[in-house]
Amino acid sequence: MESKGPHILLIEDEPDVRESYLSMLNILGYDADTAENGMDGLQKIMAKNYDIVITDLNMPVMNGLETLTRIKKKAPQIEVIVMTGYATIDNAISAMKQGAFDYITKPVSIEHVKIVLSKCHQQIEAHRENKKLRDLNTRLSELNELKDKFITITTHELRTPLAVLKGYYELIEMQIDRNSDPDLDEYMGIMSGTIQEMIDMLDSMHDLSNFDKAIREYKNTEFDTNSILEAVHKEFKVLFSQRNIAFDLNPENEPAIVNADPALLKRAIRELTQNALKFTDENGKVILHLKKIPLKNKVFIMIEDTGIGIPAHKIDLIFEPFYEVQDVMYHSSSKTGFMGGGIGVGLSLVREILSTCSGEIAVESTPGKGSTFTIMLPVSQ
Ligand code: ADP
């Protein structure tokens, strides 16, 4: 019969018994090498890779327990199955305590050997798969670090020529009278808008690599979401008033406690508030609501705007990284018009943040009328 895979070494001092066990293993489809005693077995293990060692416990030169201990020391990945008579079953128990996978009682039954070897083979495969996953994980972490490094270096390298460009632009602006020619004024406006757009994109990229680290190391704790909403409201008030957009806070009267990473949740609310600011025209209105819904045992954080809205068929797409609803022409004008700056990752970050605290997000939107983004978090008791 063809070999089933694991490399087996059979250690048995009695030649006849050894031969009969070897034939049994072959009948079961396993290929095996043999050794006459523990010492011989250890030498063979050093010379070739084995997955399973089946060893007698009662042997001259070096007994089975000693052989087991030495194998586990030299090659801990090898699974050891011990064989012993009923009379010396205590030895088998000691062997299990010292790391043996299982024991087989002598005289051995082919059915029992088949079951034990099959279990052992499965365990070896499971360990192998685990190791593969662990290696893959290490590789992914390395690649992630490389990506972070790449972003850091790229943003740093691009920042220098941009700073030069910005410097010379400002020098020219000081030396000419923009208002003397409407065309010149327009061109200068486009130039400064574009330079700012590139600076904002670099900031977003830099921010993105910092975010990756923060999300890997998130720490959840219990806190009142009222405090975070108040903080975001305070931060953004000036920006909204600069654009002549009403910005209200509608807090919850009682504490709305959740279990999340406060810095990350704040980041999520800031992203949504920034979008509301970006995609709402002057004279519009944005409201931050906080509601405790006892029936659902949830805290709802809602960011409602009267902005441009999102077409229904695009709503699912906006959570994909780098997706932006507006086409390039519209978006580039919107970037200056709606205070610019995104690269289409804000909402994917929000979704990633919510996955760390069993949160969800829902959107209701009507083009031309406005959008409401709702974060739903479980109430922490
Ligand atoms: P960014 O804002 O950087 O483009 P986001 O991931 O935050 O990226 O948003 C993706 C897209 O979803 C935006 O480009 C915009 O088209 C749309 N969007 C998000 N929030 C709003 C909103 N409040 N109103 C209208 N459109 C929005």
mmCIF file with all atom_site columns, all heavy atoms in Angstrom, residues 20-33:
data_model
loop_
_atom_site.group_PDB
_atom_site.id
_atom_site.type_symbol
_atom_site.label_atom_id
_atom_site.label_alt_id
_atom_site.label_comp_id
_atom_site.label_asym_id
_atom_site.label_entity_id
_atom_site.label_seq_id
_atom_site.pdbx_PDB_ins_code
_atom_site.Cartn_x
_atom_site.Cartn_y
_atom_site.Cartn_z
_atom_site.occupancy
_atom_site.B_iso_or_equiv
_atom_site.pdbx_formal_charge
_atom_site.auth_seq_id
_atom_site.auth_comp_id
_atom_site.auth_asym_id
_atom_site.auth_atom_id
_atom_site.pdbx_PDB_model_num
ATOM 1   N N   . SER A 1 20 ? 7.007  -7.785 13.278 1.00 0.00 ? 20 SER A N   1
ATOM 2   C CA  . SER A 1 20 ? 5.554  -7.935 13.134 1.00 0.00 ? 20 SER A CA  1
ATOM 3   C C   . SER A 1 20 ? 4.860  -6.573 13.222 1.00 0.00 ? 20 SER A C   1
ATOM 4   O O   . SER A 1 20 ? 3.913  -6.294 12.485 1.00 0.00 ? 20 SER A O   1
ATOM 5   C CB  . SER A 1 20 ? 4.990  -8.916 14.180 1.00 0.00 ? 20 SER A CB  1
ATOM 6   O OG  . SER A 1 20 ? 4.974  -8.301 15.442 1.00 0.00 ? 20 SER A OG  1
ATOM 7   N N   . TYR A 1 21 ? 5.377  -5.663 14.108 1.00 0.00 ? 21 TYR A N   1
ATOM 8   C CA  . TYR A 1 21 ? 4.772  -4.314 14.184 1.00 0.00 ? 21 TYR A CA  1
ATOM 9   C C   . TYR A 1 21 ? 5.008  -3.529 12.893 1.00 0.00 ? 21 TYR A C   1
ATOM 10  O O   . TYR A 1 21 ? 4.152  -2.785 12.433 1.00 0.00 ? 21 TYR A O   1
ATOM 11  C CB  . TYR A 1 21 ? 5.330  -3.529 15.374 1.00 0.00 ? 21 TYR A CB  1
ATOM 12  C CG  . TYR A 1 21 ? 4.861  -4.027 16.727 1.00 0.00 ? 21 TYR A CG  1
ATOM 13  C CD1 . TYR A 1 21 ? 5.396  -3.523 17.896 1.00 0.00 ? 21 TYR A CD1 1
ATOM 14  C CD2 . TYR A 1 21 ? 3.854  -4.995 16.828 1.00 0.00 ? 21 TYR A CD2 1
ATOM 15  C CE1 . TYR A 1 21 ? 4.973  -3.971 19.145 1.00 0.00 ? 21 TYR A CE1 1
ATOM 16  C CE2 . TYR A 1 21 ? 3.430  -5.455 18.059 1.00 0.00 ? 21 TYR A CE2 1
ATOM 17  C CZ  . TYR A 1 21 ? 3.988  -4.947 19.210 1.00 0.00 ? 21 TYR A CZ  1
ATOM 18  O OH  . TYR A 1 21 ? 3.572  -5.401 20.419 1.00 0.00 ? 21 TYR A OH  1
ATOM 19  N N   . LEU A 1 22 ? 6.202  -3.735 12.328 1.00 0.00 ? 22 LEU A N   1
ATOM 20  C CA  . LEU A 1 22 ? 6.512  -3.028 11.075 1.00 0.00 ? 22 LEU A CA  1
ATOM 21  C C   . LEU A 1 22 ? 5.545  -3.470 9.973  1.00 0.00 ? 22 LEU A C   1
ATOM 22  O O   . LEU A 1 22 ? 5.012  -2.634 9.234  1.00 0.00 ? 22 LEU A O   1
ATOM 23  C CB  . LEU A 1 22 ? 7.966  -3.314 10.663 1.00 0.00 ? 22 LEU A CB  1
ATOM 24  C CG  . LEU A 1 22 ? 8.419  -2.629 9.369  1.00 0.00 ? 22 LEU A CG  1
ATOM 25  C CD1 . LEU A 1 22 ? 8.326  -1.111 9.487  1.00 0.00 ? 22 LEU A CD1 1
ATOM 26  C CD2 . LEU A 1 22 ? 9.863  -3.028 9.018  1.00 0.00 ? 22 LEU A CD2 1
ATOM 27  N N   . SER A 1 23 ? 5.297  -4.786 9.910  1.00 0.00 ? 23 SER A N   1
ATOM 28  C CA  . SER A 1 23 ? 4.358  -5.293 8.890  1.00 0.00 ? 23 SER A CA  1
ATOM 29  C C   . SER A 1 23 ? 2.973  -4.701 9.123  1.00 0.00 ? 23 SER A C   1
ATOM 30  O O   . SER A 1 23 ? 2.275  -4.311 8.179  1.00 0.00 ? 23 SER A O   1
ATOM 31  C CB  . SER A 1 23 ? 4.215  -6.820 8.959  1.00 0.00 ? 23 SER A CB  1
ATOM 32  O OG  . SER A 1 23 ? 5.464  -7.398 8.970  1.00 0.00 ? 23 SER A OG  1
ATOM 33  N N   . MET A 1 24 ? 2.596  -4.592 10.428 1.00 0.00 ? 24 MET A N   1
ATOM 34  C CA  . MET A 1 24 ? 1.276  -4.043 10.721 1.00 0.00 ? 24 MET A CA  1
ATOM 35  C C   . MET A 1 24 ? 1.189  -2.577 10.234 1.00 0.00 ? 24 MET A C   1
ATOM 36  O O   . MET A 1 24 ? 0.187  -2.171 9.618  1.00 0.00 ? 24 MET A O   1
ATOM 37  C CB  . MET A 1 24 ? 1.048  -4.104 12.238 1.00 0.00 ? 24 MET A CB  1
ATOM 38  C CG  . MET A 1 24 ? -0.328 -3.682 12.648 1.00 0.00 ? 24 MET A CG  1
ATOM 39  S SD  . MET A 1 24 ? -0.601 -4.078 14.371 1.00 0.00 ? 24 MET A SD  1
ATOM 40  C CE  . MET A 1 24 ? 0.619  -3.093 15.141 1.00 0.00 ? 24 MET A CE  1
ATOM 41  N N   . LEU A 1 25 ? 2.235  -1.809 10.478 1.00 0.00 ? 25 LEU A N   1
ATOM 42  C CA  . LEU A 1 25 ? 2.227  -0.403 10.038 1.00 0.00 ? 25 LEU A CA  1
ATOM 43  C C   . LEU A 1 25 ? 2.122  -0.337 8.518  1.00 0.00 ? 25 LEU A C   1
ATOM 44  O O   . LEU A 1 25 ? 1.389  0.475  7.962  1.00 0.00 ? 25 LEU A O   1
ATOM 45  C CB  . LEU A 1 25 ? 3.501  0.318  10.509 1.00 0.00 ? 25 LEU A CB  1
ATOM 46  C CG  . LEU A 1 25 ? 3.583  0.590  12.010 1.00 0.00 ? 25 LEU A CG  1
ATOM 47  C CD1 . LEU A 1 25 ? 4.936  1.177  12.392 1.00 0.00 ? 25 LEU A CD1 1
ATOM 48  C CD2 . LEU A 1 25 ? 2.480  1.560  12.439 1.00 0.00 ? 25 LEU A CD2 1
ATOM 49  N N   . ASN A 1 26 ? 2.865  -1.230 7.847  1.00 0.00 ? 26 ASN A N   1
ATOM 50  C CA  . ASN A 1 26 ? 2.811  -1.251 6.378  1.00 0.00 ? 26 ASN A CA  1
ATOM 51  C C   . ASN A 1 26 ? 1.409  -1.602 5.893  1.00 0.00 ? 26 ASN A C   1
ATOM 52  O O   . ASN A 1 26 ? 0.903  -0.997 4.946  1.00 0.00 ? 26 ASN A O   1
ATOM 53  C CB  . ASN A 1 26 ? 3.818  -2.246 5.807  1.00 0.00 ? 26 ASN A CB  1
ATOM 54  C CG  . ASN A 1 26 ? 5.259  -1.801 6.041  1.00 0.00 ? 26 ASN A CG  1
ATOM 55  O OD1 . ASN A 1 26 ? 6.178  -2.613 6.064  1.00 0.00 ? 26 ASN A OD1 1
ATOM 56  N ND2 . ASN A 1 26 ? 5.474  -0.509 6.247  1.00 0.00 ? 26 ASN A ND2 1
ATOM 57  N N   . ILE A 1 27 ? 0.783  -2.550 6.578  1.00 0.00 ? 27 ILE A N   1
ATOM 58  C CA  . ILE A 1 27 ? -0.594 -2.931 6.192  1.00 0.00 ? 27 ILE A CA  1
ATOM 59  C C   . ILE A 1 27 ? -1.519 -1.726 6.329  1.00 0.00 ? 27 ILE A C   1
ATOM 60  O O   . ILE A 1 27 ? -2.405 -1.490 5.514  1.00 0.00 ? 27 ILE A O   1
ATOM 61  C CB  . ILE A 1 27 ? -1.103 -4.111 7.052  1.00 0.00 ? 27 ILE A CB  1
ATOM 62  C CG1 . ILE A 1 27 ? -0.347 -5.377 6.672  1.00 0.00 ? 27 ILE A CG1 1
ATOM 63  C CG2 . ILE A 1 27 ? -2.611 -4.324 6.888  1.00 0.00 ? 27 ILE A CG2 1
ATOM 64  C CD1 . ILE A 1 27 ? -0.573 -6.546 7.612  1.00 0.00 ? 27 ILE A CD1 1
ATOM 65  N N   . LEU A 1 28 ? -1.284 -0.917 7.394  1.00 0.00 ? 28 LEU A N   1
ATOM 66  C CA  . LEU A 1 28 ? -2.125 0.273  7.611  1.00 0.00 ? 28 LEU A CA  1
ATOM 67  C C   . LEU A 1 28 ? -1.774 1.402  6.640  1.00 0.00 ? 28 LEU A C   1
ATOM 68  O O   . LEU A 1 28 ? -2.400 2.457  6.635  1.00 0.00 ? 28 LEU A O   1
ATOM 69  C CB  . LEU A 1 28 ? -1.962 0.781  9.050  1.00 0.00 ? 28 LEU A CB  1
ATOM 70  C CG  . LEU A 1 28 ? -2.607 -0.094 10.127 1.00 0.00 ? 28 LEU A CG  1
ATOM 71  C CD1 . LEU A 1 28 ? -2.241 0.415  11.512 1.00 0.00 ? 28 LEU A CD1 1
ATOM 72  C CD2 . LEU A 1 28 ? -4.117 -0.126 9.972  1.00 0.00 ? 28 LEU A CD2 1
ATOM 73  N N   . GLY A 1 29 ? -0.743 1.177  5.833  1.00 0.00 ? 29 GLY A N   1
ATOM 74  C CA  . GLY A 1 29 ? -0.385 2.171  4.818  1.00 0.00 ? 29 GLY A CA  1
ATOM 75  C C   . GLY A 1 29 ? 0.693  3.143  5.272  1.00 0.00 ? 29 GLY A C   1
ATOM 76  O O   . GLY A 1 29 ? 0.913  4.158  4.620  1.00 0.00 ? 29 GLY A O   1
ATOM 77  N N   . TYR A 1 30 ? 1.331  2.900  6.399  1.00 0.00 ? 30 TYR A N   1
ATOM 78  C CA  . TYR A 1 30 ? 2.382  3.806  6.873  1.00 0.00 ? 30 TYR A CA  1
ATOM 79  C C   . TYR A 1 30 ? 3.748  3.234  6.544  1.00 0.00 ? 30 TYR A C   1
ATOM 80  O O   . TYR A 1 30 ? 3.980  2.034  6.703  1.00 0.00 ? 30 TYR A O   1
ATOM 81  C CB  . TYR A 1 30 ? 2.286  4.004  8.392  1.00 0.00 ? 30 TYR A CB  1
ATOM 82  C CG  . TYR A 1 30 ? 1.042  4.743  8.826  1.00 0.00 ? 30 TYR A CG  1
ATOM 83  C CD1 . TYR A 1 30 ? -0.025 4.063  9.409  1.00 0.00 ? 30 TYR A CD1 1
ATOM 84  C CD2 . TYR A 1 30 ? 0.944  6.119  8.648  1.00 0.00 ? 30 TYR A CD2 1
ATOM 85  C CE1 . TYR A 1 30 ? -1.173 4.735  9.811  1.00 0.00 ? 30 TYR A CE1 1
ATOM 86  C CE2 . TYR A 1 30 ? -0.206 6.791  9.047  1.00 0.00 ? 30 TYR A CE2 1
ATOM 87  C CZ  . TYR A 1 30 ? -1.258 6.100  9.629  1.00 0.00 ? 30 TYR A CZ  1
ATOM 88  O OH  . TYR A 1 30 ? -2.375 6.764  10.013 1.00 0.00 ? 30 TYR A OH  1
ATOM 89  N N   . ASP A 1 31 ? 4.652  4.101  6.120  1.00 0.00 ? 31 ASP A N   1
ATOM 90  C CA  . ASP A 1 31 ? 6.051  3.734  5.903  1.00 0.00 ? 31 ASP A CA  1
ATOM 91  C C   . ASP A 1 31 ? 6.774  3.956  7.219  1.00 0.00 ? 31 ASP A C   1
ATOM 92  O O   . ASP A 1 31 ? 6.527  4.965  7.872  1.00 0.00 ? 31 ASP A O   1
ATOM 93  C CB  . ASP A 1 31 ? 6.635  4.722  4.880  1.00 0.00 ? 31 ASP A CB  1
ATOM 94  C CG  . ASP A 1 31 ? 7.197  3.974  3.700  1.00 0.00 ? 31 ASP A CG  1
ATOM 95  O OD1 . ASP A 1 31 ? 7.162  2.738  3.741  1.00 0.00 ? 31 ASP A OD1 1
ATOM 96  O OD2 . ASP A 1 31 ? 7.648  4.641  2.752  1.00 0.00 ? 31 ASP A OD2 1
ATOM 97  N N   . ALA A 1 32 ? 7.644  3.059  7.631  1.00 0.00 ? 32 ALA A N   1
ATOM 98  C CA  . ALA A 1 32 ? 8.333  3.300  8.907  1.00 0.00 ? 32 ALA A CA  1
ATOM 99  C C   . ALA A 1 32 ? 9.753  2.773  8.850  1.00 0.00 ? 32 ALA A C   1
ATOM 100 O O   . ALA A 1 32 ? 10.040 1.795  8.142  1.00 0.00 ? 32 ALA A O   1
ATOM 101 C CB  . ALA A 1 32 ? 7.572  2.633  10.048 1.00 0.00 ? 32 ALA A CB  1
ATOM 102 N N   . ASP A 1 33 ? 10.643 3.444  9.614  1.00 0.00 ? 33 ASP A N   1
ATOM 103 C CA  . ASP A 1 33 ? 11.985 2.908  9.832  1.00 0.00 ? 33 ASP A CA  1
ATOM 104 C C   . ASP A 1 33 ? 11.970 2.275  11.212 1.00 0.00 ? 33 ASP A C   1
ATOM 105 O O   . ASP A 1 33 ? 11.067 2.547  12.025 1.00 0.00 ? 33 ASP A O   1
ATOM 106 C CB  . ASP A 1 33 ? 13.024 4.040  9.811  1.00 0.00 ? 33 ASP A CB  1
ATOM 107 C CG  . ASP A 1 33 ? 13.109 4.670  8.429  1.00 0.00 ? 33 ASP A CG  1
ATOM 108 O OD1 . ASP A 1 33 ? 12.824 3.964  7.449  1.00 0.00 ? 33 ASP A OD1 1
ATOM 109 O OD2 . ASP A 1 33 ? 13.422 5.886  8.349  1.00 0.00 ? 33 ASP A OD2 1
#
